[in-house]
């Protein structure tokens, strides 16, 4: 089954975070991950160790357990995991074939996948909650409070610095790719301020460290505002809705009332719905449109006293008059909706409307086409959407 665009975006997010965490280790092991599928291979190997129990696995047993993946890929990833300590020998001796896996790499994989989905915000919320509980503990000391404040200060400094650098040096596409750094920032700042209040109330001597945290929070808030302003400005200028995270649009559509959703279309004018065309018809139309015919020279005009035939303009005028009279059928005026319904389908109605418009614009014909603001919507009609108007004869 083909992966959707959302699946591809999620895999790319996992890979981006994975590179940030394991780039050094993977580079030292000579196997930098460039394909998101390798993350699934690593997880499959660790899953096999989880099922194997305390006896561990040999390389051959691991490849058999992960036989849905190519053999050479499993062997290569097994060696990489072994080189940076995720997999070690069951007993440290030269000829040992069985291996065991540490739980930390698997937990890290779970952590990375969650970060790719939530942008790390869920983990940061949990960290702030734990810090609040830690400094609220009656057994907590001033050193514990100082450690919590310093950890949060570094976290928000890094967040603020990254956003500020992205705003000043990155393209809009790169900023949109990292937009999850700005999600839920108000709640994050509130939780950090709560930890700040607890520490400052319990240990007033830590006011310097608390000041540093306040400055880091202010810098982070400013960076979020700059990033959001740049994204909104770019999206409003180019109408490139993809510049904002898809979650923004999903939340908007799910939480908005019908009036708000309809307001998005204010000021936009839509033509009547076009019929469905087969792919073959569309290809034929495109190919026909590409053809460029040679320029045709006008035929020579008669130079003698021979009567010239009636001009093409006169012929067109009479054809338009005949069509207008057919539509009016002896009446002084007729509703456009009635004309469209009599046509039966949109293709025929479109041709009739084109001829009526031509008759309205013709200088030598006494007809006019007047449109109104209303629109008839009837799902059972041949043309469901029809703009109201009147085609009438002008009496001079």
């Amino acid at each position: 089954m083909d992966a959707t665009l959302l699946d591809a975006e999620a895999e790319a997010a996992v890979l981006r975070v994975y590179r940030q965490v394991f780039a050094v280790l993977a580079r030292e092991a000579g196997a930098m991950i460039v394909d998101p599928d390798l993350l699934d291979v690593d997880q499959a190997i660790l899953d096999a160790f989880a099922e194997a129990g305390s006896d561990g696995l040999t390389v051959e047993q691991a490849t058999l357990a992960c036989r849905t993946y190519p053999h050479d890929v499993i062997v290569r990833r097994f060696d990489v995991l072994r080189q940076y300590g995720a997999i070690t020998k069951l007993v440290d001796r030269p000829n040992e074939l069985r291996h065991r896996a540490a739980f930390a790499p698997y937990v890290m994989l779970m952590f990375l996948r969650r970060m790719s989905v939530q942008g790390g915000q869920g983990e940061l919320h949990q960290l702030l909650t734990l810090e609040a509980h830690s400094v609220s503990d009656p057994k907590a000391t001033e050193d514990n409070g100082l450690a919590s404040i310093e950890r949060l200060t570094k976290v928000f400094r890094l967040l603020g610095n990254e956003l500020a650098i992205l705003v000043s040096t990155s393209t809009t596409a790169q900023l949109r790719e990292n937009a999850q750094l700005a999600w839920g920032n108000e709640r994050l700042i509130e939780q950090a301020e709560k930890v700040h209040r607890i520490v400052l109330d319990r240990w007033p001597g830590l006011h310097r460290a608390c000041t540093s945290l306040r400055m880091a929070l202010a810098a982070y808030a400013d960076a979020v505002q700059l990033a959001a302003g740049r994204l909104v400005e770019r999206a409003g200028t180019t109408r490139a809705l993809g510049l904002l995270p898809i979650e923004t649009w999903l939340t908007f559509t799910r939480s908005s009332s019908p009036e708000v959703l309809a307001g998005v279309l204010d000021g936009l004018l839509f033509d009547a719905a076009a019929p469905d065309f087969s792919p073959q018809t569309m290809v034929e139309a495109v190919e026909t449109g590409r053809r460029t015919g040679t320029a045709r020279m006008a035929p020579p005009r008669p130079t003698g006293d021979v009567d010239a035939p009636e001009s093409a303009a006169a012929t067109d005028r009479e054809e338009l008059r005949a069509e207008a009279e057919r539509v009016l059928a002896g009446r002084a005026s007729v509703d456009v909706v009635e004309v469209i319904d009599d046509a039966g389908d949109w293709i025929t109605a479109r041709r009739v409307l084109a001829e009526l418009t031509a008759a309205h614009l013709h200088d030598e014909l006494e007809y006019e086409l007047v449109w109104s603001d209303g629109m008839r919507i009837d799902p059972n009609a041949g043309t469901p959407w029809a703009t109201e108007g009147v085609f009438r004869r002008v009496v001079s």
Side-chain angles (χ1 to χ4, degrees):
M1 184 176 181
D2 294 335
T4 63
L5 291 177
L6 290 178
D7 294 335
E9 184 178 1
E11 290 180 352
V14 175
L15 180 58
R16 185 170 63 252
V17 180
Y18 194 90
R19 283 173 175 169
Q20 293 174 354
V21 176
F22 287 116
V24 177
L25 294 176
R27 187 180 297 110
E28 290 178 353
M32 174 71 76
I33 291 180
V34 295
D35 186 353
D37 291 339
L38 295 181
L39 297 175
D40 298 329
V41 175
D42 286 0
Q43 184 165 349
I45 294 174
L46 296 174
D47 288 344
F49 274 98
E51 296 294 333
S54 59
D55 292 335
L57 290 175
T58 64
V59 177
E60 291 73 16
Q61 290 173 330
T63 56
L64 180 62
C66 305
R67 54 185 174 273
T68 54
Y69 298 95
H71 179 273
D72 57 337
V73 174
I74 295 296
V75 173
R76 187 170 69 253
R77 293 308 304 166
F78 194 98
D79 290 339
V80 172
L81 291 172
R82 182 167 50 190
Q83 287 182 51
Y84 63 74
I87 295 175
T88 57
K89 291 181 178 181
L90 195 64
V91 179
D92 189 11
R93 57 189 178 190
N95 298 322
E96 179 62 47
L97 298 179
R98 291 187 171 275
H99 296 77
R100 61 181 177 84
F103 83 99
Y106 189 80
V107 174
M108 179 59 71
L109 276 176
M110 296 170 57
F111 177 78
L112 293 176
R113 292 189 183 279
R114 286 187 56 187
M115 285 189 67
S116 69
V117 175
Q118 303 177 6
Q121 299 294 349
E123 284 67 26
L124 193 49
H125 282 294
Q126 294 176 10
L127 171 64
L128 289 167
T129 301
L130 290 174
E131 295 291 357
H133 283 300
S134 175
V135 297
S136 300
D137 190 341
K139 298 180 180 180
T141 64
E142 184 173 343
D143 291 338
N144 299 134
L146 178 61
S148 293
I149 291 296
E150 289 180 344
R151 282 194 294 268
L152 296 185
T153 301
K154 292 176 181 178
V155 166
F156 282 100
R157 278 178 177 171
L158 286 173
L159 278 173
N161 291 342
E162 184 172 0
L163 273 177
I165 293 171
L166 287 171
V167 171
S168 60
T169 63
S170 302
T171 63
T172 307
Q174 292 172 325
L175 188 60
R176 181 258 179 272
E177 184 180 354
N178 293 274
Q180 70 269 17
L181 295 174
W183 297 346
N185 57 85
E186 293 182 358
R187 180 60 179 155
L188 289 175
I189 293 176
E190 290 176 0
Q191 288 183 283
E193 289 175 343
K194 177 182 178 182
V195 177
H196 168 272
R197 288 193 300 270
I198 295 174
V199 171
L200 194 58
D201 290 341
R202 292 192 64 180
W203 302 288
L206 298 179
H207 64 90
R208 286 184 176 272
C210 291
T211 301
S212 298
L213 176 58
R214 289 198 303 271
M215 294 173 62
L217 292 176
Y220 171 62
D222 290 342
V224 168
Q225 292 295 328
L226 290 173
R230 182 176 174 188
L231 282 174
V232 171
E233 178 184 3
R234 179 68 63 176
T237 302
T238 65
R239 294 183 178 271
L241 302 184
L243 290 176
L244 296 181
I246 188 173
E247 289 79 4
T248 302
W249 303 113
L250 293 176
T251 302
F252 173 73
T253 55
R254 290 169 179 167
S255 60
S256 299
S257 63
E259 292 76 12
V260 174
L261 292 175
V264 176
L265 303 179
D266 286 347
L268 298 179
L269 178 63
F270 294 92
D271 193 3
D276 294 331
F277 297 102
S278 65
Q280 293 78 12
T281 305
M282 293 294 294
V283 171
E284 182 180 355
V286 172
E287 294 298 332
T288 304
R290 290 177 179 174
R291 298 171 188 168
T292 56
T294 57
R296 298 179 60 185
M297 301 298 294
R301 298 181 179 274
T303 57
D305 297 333
V306 181
D307 293 338
E310 188 177 16
S311 65
T315 303
D316 292 341
R317 181 187 65 235
E318 295 307 319
E319 289 179 353
L320 292 175
R321 188 190 303 276
E323 179 64 18
E325 292 298 333
R326 184 192 68 79
V327 171
L328 289 172
R331 296 169 291 183
S333 63
V334 61
D335 290 338
V336 174
V337 174
E338 180 182 344
V339 175
I340 293 176
D341 289 341
D342 290 342
D345 58 79
W346 170 239
I347 296 179
T348 305
R350 182 174 57 184
R351 179 186 59 78
V352 174
L353 286 176
E355 294 177 347
L356 296 183
T357 303
H360 165 76
L361 297 174
H362 202 289
D363 296 337
E364 301 178 13
L365 296 178
E366 302 80 16
Y367 306 100
E368 66 176 356
L369 187 61
V370 181
W371 297 101
S372 63
D373 295 333
M375 174 175 284
R376 192 285 311 272
I377 301 177
D378 183 3
N380 298 321
T383 304
W385 294 276
T387 304
E388 297 174 354
V390 174
F391 180 75
R392 64 193 178 191
R393 186 183 291 107
V394 179
V395 179
S396 56

